[in-house]
Amino acid sequence: MDHRSGDDLLERVVGELRELPPIDEAQITRIVAAAQAAGRDGDERDEPGVLRLEPTGRRWTGSRGLPLAWAAALVLAAGVGGYLVGDRRGEPTVASALAPTPPARGVVAVAAAENAPRLTQFMIEAPRAERVALVGDFNGWDASMTPLVRDPSSGLWTATVALAPGRHTYAFMVDSTITLDPRAPESRDPDLGTRSSVVLVGGR
Amino acid sequence: MRHLALALVLLLPAALSAQQLAAAPDVARQRARLQRELDPATFDFVSRIVDRTAQRGLPIEPLLNGAAEGLTHRAAPAKIRLKVERMAQRLELASRALVPASRGDLEAGVEALGAGVPVATLTTIRQLRPDASVAVELGVLAQLVRSGVPLEKASAKIAELMRAGSRPAQIVALGDSVRSDVQRGYPAIEVFDARARGVLAAGSGSGNVAADGQNVEVALPGFGTSTNSPPRNNAPTASPRAPRRP
């Protein structure tokens, strides 16, 4: 995603924030009442205000309605911030990693700090290349997503992206030719029969 | 209290809207690329598998990524179909073995299964860390196996490290060290044993492996990842392999 489309998305978000519907006092009353009722019905053994995730990952529950509502609001607000920061930087991997996507079946959210993306620098020497891009499982193998920047004096091309902890496969597109990282281990995909470079990104 | 509720009502629609905006472009863009670059039969095949996976509540991004990887590598359509089909099967297996699982866990599980790691090993690793992501452990295990370390030995040692309280950063450093040693010509099995003993001796502290003391760090593939420390022996100038000049 380039910066221009990032700006477009930002404007859409800002536009939607501006176009929020008028406040419905009755609706607010109903929501607060429902939240309080949920709190009364909750398991009293739970710690007050603790946000819990059910084992199936299908819904969020809490022992107190209102603190839960606030926790949810804060989490969602953090999601907005993460999205904006990631998108403004032109790094969709940051956005997707920071934004808490609703869990699907059997999928849970993990602690943000533990799964926080790590900045990872990629570099290749290609002094005669006119255009170099990074492609990998973190950017959909899309050569338009992560262009590398050339240092004219050294001929080195570099890019720094935020990656989630774990194993990632990638390659460089050097003037439309796929090129492996000469300094990284290679991995052969048993299904495609192709080779990629591998980077291991650490957690905390 | 009224202010709190008001804030919730104001934040909720905006946040939901932003979530959709953040997630949608990637999937839509990838689907559009697949439709544009795949032949119609392969695109239909991939779409059916992706839709079926979505209906099961599993993440579809790994499948779209797999197809896109095939396109970028200019793989034959038959291989792209095979890749997506097998990934969907592995995704289903990983979702059963890794409960609960984050999307990162599932993707790592798919990779590990693809490297030949059995489903039972995924379950064991999940049980050893039931409340945290195991993407790093599974990723390192997959990489070790692909590097030539025997599956049973790699699985047993990763489990031993997890039981000993080794941090994910230490396990990544182990994988990196083994990779670096193998590149220098040492046999994978021997260096793996030696490096794993080093991590165990270091315990869960910083020890002699990477200590990530900061929230954000810079990792340089090929030069030793996930460290803030000075370059090690495999720094660019000392690298035994000269960089390629494409």
Side-chain angles (χ1 to χ4, degrees), chain A:
Chain A
M1 185 181 303
D2 60 25
H3 287 283
R4 197 172 59 180
S5 62
D7 289 340
D8 291 341
L9 283 173
L10 179 65
E11 286 175 12
R12 286 172 61 189
V13 173
V14 172
E16 295 204 23
L17 285 169
R18 285 194 188 117
E19 294 168 11
L20 286 173
I23 297 169
D24 182 347
E25 295 283 350
Q27 180 71 6
I28 293 172
T29 306
R30 281 196 296 275
I31 291 172
V32 171
Q36 287 173 332
R40 283 193 297 272
D41 294 341
D43 187 343
E44 291 302 318
R45 290 170 300 178
D46 287 348
E47 291 294 321
V50 172
L51 188 65
R52 296 186 187 282
L53 198 62
E54 288 196 341
T56 58
R58 283 186 178 171
R59 65 189 178 99
W60 298 85
T61 61
S63 59
R64 294 291 183 273
L66 204 53
L68 168 65
W70 268 104
L74 290 172
V75 167
L76 289 166
V80 175
Y83 160 72
L84 292 177
V85 169
D87 201 55
R88 290 292 288 176
R89 289 173 58 192
E91 291 176 358
T93 52
V94 177
S96 60
L98 293 179
T101 307
R105 175 173 70 88
V107 180
V108 298
V110 295
E114 181 184 350
N115 212 31
R118 305 301 171 92
L119 291 181
T120 304
Q121 187 181 32
F122 294 86
M123 183 168 72
I124 187 168
E125 188 178 23
R128 289 185 292 274
E130 293 189 356
R131 189 169 181 272
V132 179
L134 180 67
V135 289
D137 57 16
F138 41 82
N139 67 3
W141 293 91
D142 188 334
S144 66
M145 297 290 278
T146 316
L148 273 70
V149 177
R150 182 175 184 266
D151 175 14
S153 59
S154 65
L156 288 172
W157 295 75
T158 60
T160 302
V161 297
L163 300 181
R167 176 182 183 272
H168 297 279
T169 52
Y170 68 97
F172 298 108
M173 290 291 282
V174 181
D175 289 338
S176 303
T177 301
I178 198 152
T179 306
L180 300 189
D181 188 338
R183 296 183 180 88
E186 296 177 9
S187 178
R188 181 183 174 277
D189 187 292
D191 306 319
L192 293 172
T194 56
R195 291 188 173 278
S196 299
S197 299
V198 177
V199 59
L200 296 172
V201 178
R204 297 205 66 77

Side-chain angles (χ1 to χ4, degrees), chain B residues 156-243:
Chain B
K157 197 61 80 177
I158 291 289
E160 187 181 355
L161 292 170
M162 292 174 73
R163 284 192 194 98
S166 299
R167 292 176 297 118
Q170 290 178 297
I171 293 176
V172 162
L174 166 69
D176 259 348
S177 300
V178 171
R179 184 264 309 161
S180 179
D181 293 338
V182 169
Q183 267 190 331
R184 289 193 177 101
Y186 293 105
I189 300 174
E190 290 176 20
V191 297
F192 176 65
D193 276 340
R195 292 292 187 179
R197 277 199 301 275
V199 176
L200 285 167
S204 57
S206 57
N208 61 345
V209 293
D212 51 341
Q214 298 177 16
N215 192 30
V216 173
E217 63 194 39
V218 172
L220 198 57
F223 303 156
T225 56
S226 70
T227 71
N228 290 322
S229 53
R232 296 181 295 194
N233 289 339
N234 55 343
T237 51
S239 174
R241 297 176 60 181

